[in-house]
Amino acid sequence: MARLSEDESDKALWLTLAQSWVRLAEHVERADWGEEPAESDAEVA
């Protein structure tokens, strides 16, 4: 979808959205295995 956007400002929004979905998926995967959050997750605000 981001490639179809002609407005360059929308691409940053799509990238941020995609990154947040990846972080959410990683969080859910760790929760399923009962793992503790990584150090880098605590630093992300």
Side-chain angles (χ1 to χ4, degrees), residues 26-27 30-31 34-42:
E26 290 170 345
H27 175 75
R30 279 193 309 271
E35 297 177 14
E36 293 293 323
E39 290 290 326
S40 62
D41 289 346

Side-chain angles (χ1 to χ4, degrees), residues 1-6 11 14:
M1 287 186 142
R3 287 184 292 144
L4 298 177
S5 175
E6 293 180 14
K11 291 184 181 184
W14 283 110

